[in-house]
Amino acid sequence: MKRGLASFSYVQGQSPSLKVREYFYFIDHQGQLFLDDVKIKNFTTCFKEKKFLQFFFTRLRRNELDPPRYPEFPFISPCGRELNFVRCEDRPIIYTELITQENGRQFLSYNFGKELLTVPFDPSQLSMDQNGRVYYPSPKEELGRALVKSSLADELSPFFEFEDGDETRPPRWINWNGQRITLTSGPPLSSEV
């Protein structure tokens, strides 16, 4: 079945050249991965297999193919001769869970990969934009800042401290594990994605 955005159409698994297959994906603001042409996008229809998610997201990068292909899909996750084109509602990397190990070390897990997709958590690297969305550095710098899933941001928000109590501006500190930590990361740039 042909699906597509306004400027082009595609068929999942199409083969534009010998031995190359193309697939098209979508990442929602909660970090769930879907085939782009799935009509109803919810927990039931997203990919959940952690090993697949690890494989997919560790290969994710900007779509800088030469010659350019499908600018509507700004990211790509190559897999041998398979090209997986990706578009997203906000950011390609969404932190979905804070994991605390028995030894006290903390990690942020992204895109529902649980322990297979993590980065060390440094609370000073959190930032909040003017709309109240919380961001953290992506595991790959080229992907820009990553969004913190809204439910996780809600868990973190009581720990934010605002200069002069002014919650109309981004927070300056976070009170974490008994320490007042200065937030060092500025808000994400709109041009990052």
Side-chain angles (χ1 to χ4, degrees):
M1 171 187 279
K2 276 197 174 219
R3 291 273 184 205
L5 301 171
S7 61
F8 80 100
S9 63
Y10 62 83
V11 176
Q12 290 287 3
Q14 68 190 18
S15 186
S17 60
L18 188 61
K19 296 183 181 178
V20 173
R21 297 185 70 74
E22 296 177 334
Y23 295 91
F24 299 85
Y25 291 86
F26 175 76
I27 301 168
D28 74 359
H29 70 281
Q30 298 294 327
Q32 298 174 117
L33 177 68
F34 304 90
L35 283 172
D36 186 62
D37 55 355
V38 169
K39 289 184 181 183
I40 298 173
K41 293 176 171 68
N42 58 36
F43 184 75
T44 305
T45 60
C46 73
F47 288 91
K48 294 177 253 338
E49 209 290 308
K50 290 189 292 185
K51 286 280 192 190
F52 171 76
L53 294 172
Q54 178 189 35
F55 186 84
F56 188 93
F57 282 102
T58 55
R59 286 161 178 72
L60 190 67
R61 59 181 171 84
R62 289 199 178 275
N63 178 1
E64 296 174 341
L65 293 180
D66 189 22
R69 293 179 62 79
Y70 313 118
E72 298 87 346
F73 291 81
F75 303 96
I76 189 167
S77 179
C79 172
R81 294 178 186 227
E82 185 176 290
L83 298 176
N84 300 302
F85 294 91
V86 183
R87 67 185 183 94
C88 49
E89 189 172 348
D90 187 318
R91 305 284 174 166
I93 302 297
I94 312 289
Y95 290 106
T96 52
E97 184 178 2
L98 179 64
I99 297 171
T100 303
Q101 295 180 334
E102 287 182 24
N103 62 9
R105 292 186 63 204
Q106 294 182 308
F107 296 85
L108 284 175
S109 174
Y110 56 96
N111 296 85
F112 294 95
K114 299 281 186 182
E115 68 283 348
L116 298 180
L117 291 173
T118 63
V119 297
F121 179 55
D122 174 0
S124 73
Q125 296 296 306
L126 290 166
S127 64
M128 182 185 291
D129 71 6
Q130 295 296 338
N131 295 321
R133 285 193 163 195
V134 178
Y135 294 87
Y136 193 81
S138 288
K140 295 180 186 175
E141 191 174 320
E142 73 172 289
L143 298 177
R145 307 241 342 128
L147 181 65
V148 174
K149 182 180 170 190
S150 57
S151 59
L152 179 55
D154 288 345
E155 291 175 33
L156 297 172
S157 65
F159 301 101
F160 286 127
E161 190 175 326
F162 299 83
E163 190 166 7
D164 299 325
D166 183 1
E167 293 187 19
T168 62
R169 296 188 339 217
R172 291 242 357 222
W173 304 277
I174 186 166
N175 291 302
W176 198 254
N177 293 333
Q179 293 184 307
R180 185 185 201 203
I181 301 168
T182 301
L183 300 176
T184 58
S185 297
L189 302 173
S190 60
S191 63
E192 284 190 66
V193 173

